[in-house]
Amino acid sequence: MEVKTGKELLETIYYEDAQKRINRYKGTDSLVVWCDNNAYIIGYEMGSDFHTISEFLKYRIRLIGFEKFTHEIDSTEFDFITELLDVIEDGLASDYLGEIMQEVYQMEDLSQC
């Protein structure tokens, strides 16, 4: 039998709890993103953590600061702002934010489950 450290045990508990939450939202118009070993539900269903992708990203920026946020998404502050302004101008901001969510936070569409 494998012995787990306290941290590994907590991670297992958090993961199992997250899976239970995710299962409740399967088949709805919700999204799930993973961040800091936590699953966050984005959608308009009762009990979701955030209503929109933008709301989640603003939470991350407030929580860790803009500099750490841009590092988290593997960008610089200047490059992120420049790219965001470009995609806003082209009408593709939601596509750009969706790419960030998929690449950095492993976003999954629960309506497809």
Side-chain angles (χ1 to χ4, degrees):
M1 175 183 234
E2 181 182 338
V3 176
K4 293 187 176 199
T5 66
K7 181 181 178 187
E8 290 171 330
L9 186 57
L10 280 176
E11 287 175 356
T12 301
I13 292 169
Y14 288 146
Y15 181 79
E16 289 174 1
D17 287 346
Q19 288 301 318
K20 288 177 188 174
R21 272 190 86 211
I22 290 167
N23 287 340
R24 285 195 306 256
Y25 290 94
K26 284 185 177 180
T28 68
D29 287 333
S30 299
L31 305 167
V32 63
V33 294
W34 290 90
C35 184
D36 297 333
N37 292 323
N38 293 312
Y40 295 96
I41 305 296
I42 300 173
Y44 288 98
E45 299 294 322
M46 186 69 128
S48 61
D49 300 303
F50 303 96
H51 293 299
T52 65
I53 289 172
S54 295
E55 193 177 292
F56 170 78
L57 293 173
K58 288 187 277 187
Y59 159 79
R60 289 301 296 164
I61 292 168
R62 275 192 304 276
L63 183 68
I64 63 176
F66 192 63
E67 183 179 350
K68 287 183 181 176
F69 170 75
T70 55
H71 180 73
E72 182 173 83
I73 65 169
D74 197 25
S75 186
T76 65
E77 294 171 40
F78 177 80
D79 289 344
F80 175 72
I81 294 296
T82 302
E83 184 70 24
L84 186 57
L85 291 173
D86 287 345
V87 297
I88 288 171
E89 190 173 86
D90 295 338
L92 301 172
S94 62
D95 293 343
Y96 176 64
L97 296 179
E99 284 178 32
I100 291 172
M101 297 299 285
Q102 288 177 348
E103 292 173 11
V104 178
Y105 303 109
Q106 296 81 44
M107 180 176 72
E108 296 176 52
D109 183 350
L110 296 177
S111 69
Q112 305 300 316
C113 295

